[in-house]
Coordinates of all heavy atoms in Angstrom, one line a residue:
R6 N 93.5 85.3 107.4 CA 94.3 84.4 106.4 C 93.5 83.4 105.7 O 92.7 82.7 106.4 CB 95.5 83.8 107.2 CG 96.6 83.4 106.4 CD 97.8 82.9 107.1 NE 98.4 84.0 107.9 CZ 99.2 84.9 107.3 NH1 99.6 84.9 106.0 NH2 99.7 85.8 108.0
K7 N 93.7 83.3 104.4 CA 93.0 82.2 103.6 C 93.9 81.9 102.4 O 94.8 82.7 102.1 CB 91.6 82.7 103.2 CG 91.5 83.9 102.3 CD 90.1 84.3 102.0 CE 90.1 85.4 101.0 NZ 90.5 86.8 101.6
R8 N 93.6 80.9 101.8 CA 94.3 80.4 100.6 C 93.5 80.7 99.4 O 92.4 80.5 99.2 CB 94.5 78.9 100.6 CG 95.5 78.4 101.7 CD 95.8 76.9 101.6 NE 96.8 76.4 102.6 CZ 97.2 75.3 102.6 NH1 96.7 74.3 101.8 NH2 98.1 74.9 103.5
T9 N 94.2 81.5 98.4 CA 93.7 81.6 97.1 C 94.8 81.3 96.1 O 95.9 80.9 96.5 CB 93.3 83.1 96.9 OG1 94.4 84.0 96.7 CG2 92.4 83.7 98.1
R10 N 94.6 81.6 94.9 CA 95.6 81.3 93.9 C 96.7 82.4 94.0 O 97.8 82.4 93.3 CB 95.1 81.1 92.5 CG 94.9 82.4 91.7 CD 94.8 82.1 90.2 NE 94.7 83.3 89.4 CZ 95.8 84.0 89.0 NH1 97.0 83.6 89.2 NH2 95.6 85.1 88.2
F11 N 96.4 83.5 94.8 CA 97.3 84.6 94.8 C 98.2 84.5 96.2 O 97.9 83.7 97.0 CB 96.5 85.9 94.8 CG 95.6 86.1 93.6 CD1 94.3 85.8 93.7 CD2 96.2 86.5 92.4 CE1 93.5 85.9 92.6 CE2 95.4 86.6 91.3 CZ 94.0 86.3 91.4
R12 N 99.1 85.4 96.3 CA 100.1 85.4 97.4 C 99.5 86.1 98.6 O 98.9 87.2 98.6 CB 101.4 86.0 97.0 CG 102.5 86.0 98.0 CD 103.7 86.6 97.4 NE 103.6 88.0 97.3 CZ 103.9 88.9 98.3 NH1 104.1 88.5 99.5 NH2 103.8 90.3 98.2
S13 N 99.6 85.4 99.7 CA 99.3 86.0 101.0 C 100.5 86.8 101.5 O 101.6 86.2 101.5 CB 98.9 84.9 102.0 OG 98.6 85.5 103.3
W14 N 100.2 87.9 102.0 CA 101.3 88.7 102.6 C 101.6 88.3 104.0 O 100.7 87.8 104.8 CB 100.9 90.2 102.6 CG 101.0 90.8 101.3 CD1 100.5 90.3 100.1 CD2 101.6 92.1 101.0 NE1 100.7 91.2 99.1 CE2 101.3 92.4 99.6 CE3 102.1 93.1 101.7 CZ2 101.7 93.5 99.0 CZ3 102.5 94.3 101.1 CH2 102.3 94.5 99.8
S15 N 102.9 88.3 104.4 CA 103.2 88.0 105.8 C 103.1 89.2 106.7 O 103.0 90.4 106.2 CB 104.7 87.5 105.8 OG 105.7 88.6 105.4
L16 N 103.2 89.0 107.9 CA 103.1 90.1 108.9 C 104.3 90.9 108.7 O 104.2 92.2 108.9 CB 103.1 89.5 110.4 CG 101.7 88.9 110.9 CD1 101.9 88.4 112.2 CD2 100.6 90.0 110.8
D17 N 105.4 90.4 108.5 CA 106.7 91.3 108.3 C 106.5 92.2 107.1 O 106.9 93.4 107.1 CB 107.9 90.4 108.0 CG 108.4 89.7 109.4 OD1 107.9 90.3 110.5 OD2 109.1 88.8 109.3
E18 N 105.9 91.7 106.1 CA 105.6 92.6 104.9 C 104.6 93.7 105.3 O 104.8 94.9 104.8 CB 105.1 91.7 103.7 CG 106.1 90.9 103.1 CD 105.5 90.1 102.0 OE1 104.7 89.3 102.2 OE2 106.0 90.2 100.8
C19 N 103.6 93.4 106.1 CA 102.7 94.4 106.5 C 103.4 95.5 107.4 O 103.2 96.7 107.3 CB 101.5 93.8 107.2 SG 100.4 92.7 106.2
Y20 N 104.3 94.9 108.3 CA 105.1 95.9 109.1 C 106.0 96.8 108.2 O 106.2 98.0 108.6 CB 106.1 95.1 110.1 CG 105.3 94.2 111.1 CD1 106.0 93.1 111.6 CD2 104.0 94.4 111.4 CE1 105.4 92.3 112.5 CE2 103.4 93.5 112.4 CZ 104.1 92.5 112.9 OH 103.5 91.7 113.7
G21 N 106.4 96.3 107.1 CA 107.2 97.1 106.2 C 106.4 98.3 105.6 O 107.1 99.3 105.2
I22 N 105.2 98.1 105.5 CA 104.4 99.2 105.1 C 103.9 100.2 106.1 O 103.9 101.3 106.0 CB 103.1 98.7 104.2 CG1 103.5 97.8 103.0 CG2 102.2 99.8 103.8 CD1 102.4 97.2 102.4
F23 N 103.5 99.5 107.2 CA 103.0 100.2 108.4 C 103.9 99.9 109.6 O 103.7 98.9 110.3 CB 101.5 99.8 108.8 CG 100.6 100.0 107.6 CD1 100.0 98.9 107.0 CD2 100.3 101.3 107.2 CE1 99.0 99.1 106.0 CE2 99.3 101.4 106.1 CZ 98.7 100.4 105.6
S24 N 104.9 100.6 109.8 CA 105.9 100.4 110.9 C 105.2 100.4 112.3 O 105.7 99.7 113.1 CB 107.0 101.5 110.8 OG 106.4 102.8 111.0
A25 N 104.2 101.2 112.5 CA 103.5 101.2 113.7 C 102.7 99.9 114.1 O 102.4 99.7 115.2 CB 102.6 102.4 113.9
L26 N 102.4 99.2 113.0 CA 101.5 98.0 113.2 C 102.1 97.0 114.2 O 101.2 96.4 115.0 CB 101.2 97.3 111.9 CG 100.3 96.2 111.9 CD1 98.8 96.7 112.2 CD2 100.3 95.5 110.4
E27 N 103.3 96.8 114.1 CA 104.0 95.7 114.9 C 103.7 96.0 116.5 O 103.6 95.1 117.3 CB 105.5 95.6 114.7 CG 106.1 94.5 115.4 CD 107.6 94.3 114.9 OE1 108.1 95.1 114.1 OE2 108.2 93.3 115.3
H28 N 103.7 97.3 116.8 CA 103.6 97.7 118.2 C 102.1 97.8 118.7 O 101.8 98.0 119.9 CB 104.2 99.1 118.4 CG 105.6 99.1 117.9 ND1 106.6 98.6 118.6 CD2 106.1 99.8 116.8 CE1 107.8 98.8 118.0 NE2 107.5 99.6 116.8
L29 N 101.2 97.5 117.8 CA 99.7 97.5 118.1 C 99.2 96.1 118.2 O 98.0 95.9 118.6 CB 99.0 98.2 117.0 CG 99.3 99.7 116.7 CD1 98.5 100.1 115.5 CD2 99.0 100.6 117.8
M30 N 100.0 95.1 117.9 CA 99.5 93.7 117.8 C 98.7 93.2 119.0 O 97.7 92.5 119.0 CB 100.6 92.7 117.4 CG 101.2 93.0 116.1 SD 100.1 92.8 114.7 CE 100.1 91.0 114.6
G31 N 99.1 93.6 120.3 CA 98.5 93.1 121.5 C 97.3 94.1 121.9 O 96.6 93.7 123.0
R32 N 97.0 95.1 121.2 CA 95.9 95.9 121.6 C 94.6 95.5 121.1 O 94.5 95.1 119.9 CB 96.2 97.4 121.3 CG 97.4 98.0 122.0 CD 97.8 99.4 121.6 NE 96.6 100.3 121.6 CZ 96.8 101.6 121.1 NH1 97.9 102.0 120.6 NH2 95.8 102.4 121.1
E33 N 93.5 95.7 121.7 CA 92.2 95.5 121.2 C 91.9 96.6 120.2 O 92.2 97.8 120.5 CB 91.1 95.5 122.4 CG 91.1 94.2 123.3 CD 92.2 94.2 124.2 OE1 92.7 95.3 124.6 OE2 92.5 93.2 124.8
C34 N 91.1 96.3 119.2 CA 90.9 97.3 118.2 C 90.0 98.4 118.6 O 90.0 99.5 117.9 CB 90.3 96.5 116.9 SG 91.6 95.6 116.0
E35 N 89.2 98.1 119.6 CA 88.3 99.3 120.0 C 89.1 100.4 120.7 O 88.6 101.5 120.9 CB 87.4 98.7 121.1 CG 87.9 98.1 122.4 CD 86.9 97.5 123.2 OE1 85.7 97.5 122.9 OE2 87.3 96.9 124.3
N36 N 90.3 100.2 121.0 CA 91.2 101.2 121.5 C 92.2 101.9 120.5 O 93.1 102.6 120.9 CB 92.2 100.6 122.6 CG 91.3 100.1 123.8 OD1 90.3 100.6 124.2 ND2 91.6 98.9 124.3
L37 N 91.9 101.6 119.2 CA 92.7 102.2 118.1 C 92.1 103.5 117.7 O 91.0 103.7 117.7 CB 92.9 101.2 117.1 CG 93.5 99.8 117.3 CD1 93.6 99.0 116.0 CD2 94.9 100.0 118.1
S38 N 93.0 104.3 117.1 CA 92.5 105.5 116.3 C 92.0 105.1 115.0 O 92.2 104.0 114.6 CB 93.7 106.5 116.2 OG 94.6 106.0 115.3
G39 N 91.4 106.0 114.3 CA 90.9 105.8 113.0 C 92.0 105.4 112.1 O 91.9 104.4 111.2
G40 N 93.1 106.0 112.1 CA 94.3 105.8 111.2 C 94.8 104.3 111.5 O 95.3 103.6 110.7
E41 N 94.9 104.0 112.8 CA 95.4 102.7 113.2 C 94.5 101.6 112.7 O 94.9 100.5 112.3 CB 95.6 102.7 114.7 CG 96.7 103.5 115.2 CD 96.7 103.7 116.7 OE1 95.7 103.5 117.4 OE2 97.8 104.1 117.3
M42 N 93.2 101.8 112.9 CA 92.2 100.9 112.4 C 92.4 100.6 110.8 O 92.1 99.5 110.3 CB 90.8 101.3 112.7 CG 90.3 101.1 114.1 SD 88.6 101.4 114.3 CE 88.4 101.4 116.1
Q43 N 92.6 101.7 110.1 CA 92.9 101.6 108.7 C 94.1 100.7 108.4 O 94.0 100.0 107.4 CB 92.9 103.0 108.0 CG 92.9 103.0 106.5 CD 91.6 102.6 105.9 OE1 91.1 101.5 106.2 NE2 91.0 103.5 105.2
M44 N 95.1 100.9 109.1 CA 96.3 100.0 109.0 C 95.9 98.6 109.2 O 96.3 97.7 108.4 CB 97.3 100.3 110.0 CG 98.1 101.6 110.0 SD 99.3 101.8 111.3 CE 99.5 103.5 111.4
V45 N 95.1 98.3 110.1 CA 94.6 97.0 110.4 C 93.8 96.4 109.2 O 93.9 95.3 108.8 CB 93.9 96.8 111.8 CG1 93.3 95.4 111.9 CG2 94.8 97.2 112.9

């Protein structure tokens, strides 16, 4: 997260695109599939 003159997306908005993302939040990224890493 950083500040620019553009809008930062919220986590809820990201969940709206990637519904599975919310259920991955507590997992270490080394345990994700390629598709899950791309979501992140």
Side-chain angles (χ1 to χ4, degrees):
R6 194 172 298 281
K7 63 182 184 291
R8 289 185 179 182
T9 75
R10 85 163 186 86
F11 304 100
R12 183 176 73 83
S13 176
W14 285 45
S15 68
L16 285 176
D17 285 341
E18 287 177 302
C19 293
Y20 299 156
I22 299 175
F23 303 114
S24 58
L26 183 67
E27 185 172 7
H28 306 290
L29 300 173
M30 296 296 281
R32 289 174 58 182
E33 286 78 19
C34 285
E35 63 187 354
N36 297 319
L37 302 181
S38 68
E41 290 168 340
M42 284 189 187
Q43 189 68 297
M44 292 181 200
V45 176

